[in-house]
Amino acid sequence: MIISKKLGVSGLATGLLANAAAAQEAVGLDEKINQAFSDFTGPFVSFIFAPFPGTSVPWIVMWLVIAATVFSLYFAFVQFRFFGHAVSLVKGDYSDPNDAGEVSHFQALATALSGTVGLGNIAGVAVAVGIGGPGATFWMIVAGLLGMASKFTECTLGVKYRNEYDDGTVSGGPMYYMSKGFNELGLPGGKILAVLFSIFCILGALGGGNMFQANQAHQQIAGITGDFPGWITGLVFAGIVFAVIVGGLKSIARVTEKVVPFMGVMYVLAALVIIIMHADQIGWAFGQIFAGAFTGLGVAGGMVGALIQGFRRAAFSNEAGVGSAAIAHSAVRTKEPITEGFVSLLEPFIDTVVICTMTALVIIITQQLVIDPETGMYMLNEEGTAVATVDGNSGVSLTSAAFASAFGWFPYVLAVAVVLFAFSTMISWSYYGLKAWTYLFGEGATKELVFKIIFCIFVVIGAAANLGPVIDFSDAAIFAMAVVNVFALYFLMKVVRQELSSYAERLRSGEIRKFGH
């Protein structure tokens, strides 16, 4: 009996040692993947985020903000003039079921929103407020409102120049309006721009639309269950994502139209409850946002830091000017390209103006950012690179801590939201990447399957890699798409203006009526 007990204990010890060695090896594998990834992507990231000479403002951020401002002025603030009409279109008031296309206005909006409403809203906002202070929120809202005009421009063109196939499927997006639109206007170089955009889109799909999502989802799950190797989360995610994306856009749209409204409403309701619980702080929080936007409130980088973080996060969150959403919106059932432009301008509003502001308010109101009681200024962390937080949290864990301060159980709900956000973003971006892939290599079931398998392999890599290199590479790849896309939009915006004038005139005269009226 004693011998068998001893054997049991020594067997257990051997098992524990073997488990520890396996765990150590798994961690070692995570670190190796991370280092290799970081070394490979460093130079590209440095170029995209290089500052304007003599300033600390990344040139790419100004590139997007200037474009959004130009489109807002050129189209006479179309985002405010046609906001109500956009809502009517999403409700289906003007939809003809016989129009060409694969999905409804609502499904197209849900698919595109599922690509943008995601961790940028939860983790990204926490990063912006953590580095730029509350003032970053103000600039995020400004960038969101202006970005509505960029989104309107690119999504109108996406539908106008899409390819419609005999089986009812469509392919559209920047690569098509670059090649066909430039050709129509007799401009050279459209094909080169289209190929460049497609390459960056594939990289963006694998980076921001995939690896970043898997990474943050793993971090949130591990925060609740205890630490375990990232590749395990990656494998589970890869399996589920593969099951959905093999069904094509219609199966993606069916999933996103259910998941996106549910998770968006769940998240916003939770945020509203916390804001109402701290109702006496709302005025103070907005005061912090406005003061921080113009004075910096002693935050790292001051006012410029707040402005850069706000603009950078808004661009990463709503992707206006990047061209990605034009791919999802191109598949809509309509014969009026401009209608999808109207629908798409709601996207930065929902994503950035509503959901990002909610997240920022919750973080500020629950006083996660440490204020020096003597000066009233925000204190910096030990490195002096960001605002000090109550428990040293950053990213998704800062948002989680803010919600947990009101509801101890909320991290579990947030974990579900993060997993759903990550999942929906991945399936949308798999479609964006796939359309860029088929533009480069041609349509066909085998070619599509190759991309889908590559995409799922990157889900596993993303969950295993460290966040730093993943975020940098994701941002850089997605912003590189914007360089090419915005350049093309400047040449093609007059086409959009013609569409807008024609549609507005027909709407005024009553030629365009609500369907069935």
Side-chain angles (χ1 to χ4, degrees):
M1 184 72 187
I2 292 168
I3 292 170
S4 70
K5 268 190 177 173
K6 276 189 175 170
L7 280 172
V9 171
S10 68
L12 182 65
T14 311
L16 285 171
L17 283 171
N19 284 346
Q24 190 62 42
E25 202 170 294
V27 171
L29 179 65
D30 276 10
E31 279 173 10
K32 279 180 191 152
I33 290 173
N34 181 54
Q35 192 53 50
F37 185 72
S38 182
D39 292 345
F40 179 68
T41 57
F44 172 59
V45 173
S46 304
F47 165 69
I48 291 290
F49 292 117
F52 268 139
T55 73
S56 59
V57 184
W59 66 273
I60 188 70
V61 170
M62 296 319 296
W63 175 253
L64 281 168
V65 172
I66 290 166
T69 310
V70 167
F71 300 136
S72 294
L73 294 170
Y74 186 76
F75 296 113
F77 293 99
V78 62
Q79 62 265 55
F80 306 123
R81 291 191 296 132
F82 282 90
F83 191 89
H85 186 62
V87 174
S88 297
L89 286 164
V90 174
K91 280 162 53 191
D93 292 353
Y94 294 85
S95 299
D96 181 344
N98 301 319
D99 286 342
E102 294 184 69
V103 293
S104 68
H105 282 302
F106 179 74
Q107 286 177 319
L109 182 66
T111 302
L113 267 173
S114 71
T116 61
V117 174
L119 295 165
N121 305 70
I122 300 178
V125 173
V127 170
V129 175
I131 297 174
T137 315
F138 177 84
W139 297 112
M140 207 153 46
I141 294 169
V142 170
L145 291 171
L146 290 173
M148 291 164 77
S150 303
K151 194 80 84 163
F152 161 78
T153 312
E154 62 197 3
C155 293
T156 300
L157 290 167
V159 178
K160 183 168 175 64
Y161 292 109
R162 65 187 178 181
N163 282 359
E164 295 172 10
Y165 302 109
D166 295 339
D167 63 357
T169 61
V170 299
S171 284
M175 46 280 187
Y176 293 94
Y177 60 67
M178 286 165 187
S179 51
K180 290 164 81 172
F182 272 51
N183 203 14
E184 188 182 282
L185 296 173
L187 297 167
K191 192 81 180 163
I192 297 165
L193 288 175
V195 168
L196 264 179
F197 179 87
S198 299
I199 293 167
F200 290 136
C201 184
I202 291 167
L203 291 175
L206 297 176
N210 177 340
M211 296 171 72
F212 174 67
Q213 311 300 324
N215 187 290
Q216 289 283 283
H218 171 69
Q219 196 179 322
Q220 188 64 19
I221 295 166
I224 284 176
T225 61
D227 213 13
F228 64 96
W231 54 266
I232 297 174
T233 308
L235 280 176
V236 174
F237 257 112
I240 301 169
V241 168
F242 189 73
V244 174
I245 66 179
V246 161
L249 180 67
K250 286 188 175 167
S251 95
I252 292 174
R254 275 197 298 274
V255 173
T256 55
E257 78 169 341
K258 292 177 182 67
V259 172
V260 173
F262 168 73
M263 69 189 185
V265 168
M266 178 179 84
Y267 185 72
V268 168
L269 279 178
L272 272 175
V273 169
I274 293 180
I275 291 166
I276 292 163
M277 283 167 66
H278 296 81
D280 56 326
Q281 307 262 334
I282 295 173
W284 171 81
F286 276 109
Q288 294 289 299
I289 289 170
F290 285 113
F294 299 103
T295 62
L297 277 175
V299 170
M303 176 187 161
V304 176
L307 183 128
I308 292 171
Q309 285 305 320
F311 281 165
R312 182 169 166 175
R313 282 299 120 198
F316 188 52
S317 179
N318 66 42
E319 291 160 25
V322 169
S324 50
I327 302 172
H329 286 286
S330 297
V332 74
R333 273 192 298 276
T334 185
K335 52 180 177 289
E336 295 281 358
I338 202 87
T339 57
E340 203 49 32
F342 294 139
V343 168
S344 69
L345 63 76
L346 295 172
E347 207 182 299
F349 182 80
I350 296 167
D351 175 279
T352 309
V353 180
V354 177
I355 300 181
C356 286
T357 305
M358 289 282 186
T359 304
L361 275 175
V362 169
I363 293 169
I364 298 162
I365 273 179
T366 56
Q367 302 192 3
Q368 294 298 308
L369 309 176
V370 179
I371 296 178
D372 184 336
E374 288 177 17
T375 62
M377 293 288 193
Y378 286 95
M379 294 175 70
L380 298 183
N381 59 10
E382 286 172 13
E383 296 82 33
T385 52
V387 181
T389 54
V390 174
D391 295 314
N393 292 310
S394 64
V396 75
S397 48
L398 174 59
T399 310
S400 186
F403 279 96
S405 69
F407 313 113
W409 45 264
F410 193 79
Y412 297 98
V413 177
L414 191 68
V416 173
V418 166
V419 168
L420 285 175
F421 277 144
F423 168 65
S424 70
T425 303
M426 281 182 205
I427 58 177
S428 292
W429 270 93
S430 71
Y431 178 70
Y432 300 162
L434 177 66
K435 286 300 170 188
W437 182 269
T438 54
Y439 181 80
L440 291 176
F441 302 110
E443 311 270 341
T446 314
K447 291 170 183 167
E448 291 187 13
L449 188 63
V450 169
F451 175 77
K452 288 170 183 174
I453 291 167
I454 293 171
F455 189 84
C456 291
I457 291 168
F458 271 85
V459 173
V460 183
I461 296 173
N466 269 2
L467 184 57
V470 172
I471 265 199
D472 291 344
F473 175 68
S474 315
D475 275 4
I478 287 171
F479 282 132
M481 291 163 65
V483 176
V484 185
N485 185 48
V486 168
F487 180 76
L489 292 181
Y490 283 136
F491 288 99
L492 296 169
M493 62 187 185
K494 61 183 177 193
V495 176
V496 179
R497 188 144 76 174
Q498 287 159 4
E499 292 278 334
L500 179 60
S501 304
S502 158
Y503 185 86
E505 185 49 50
R506 285 176 292 138
L507 192 63
R508 261 197 304 274
S509 69
E511 187 184 328
I512 293 173
R513 292 197 305 275
K514 291 191 176 182
F515 200 72
H517 284 245

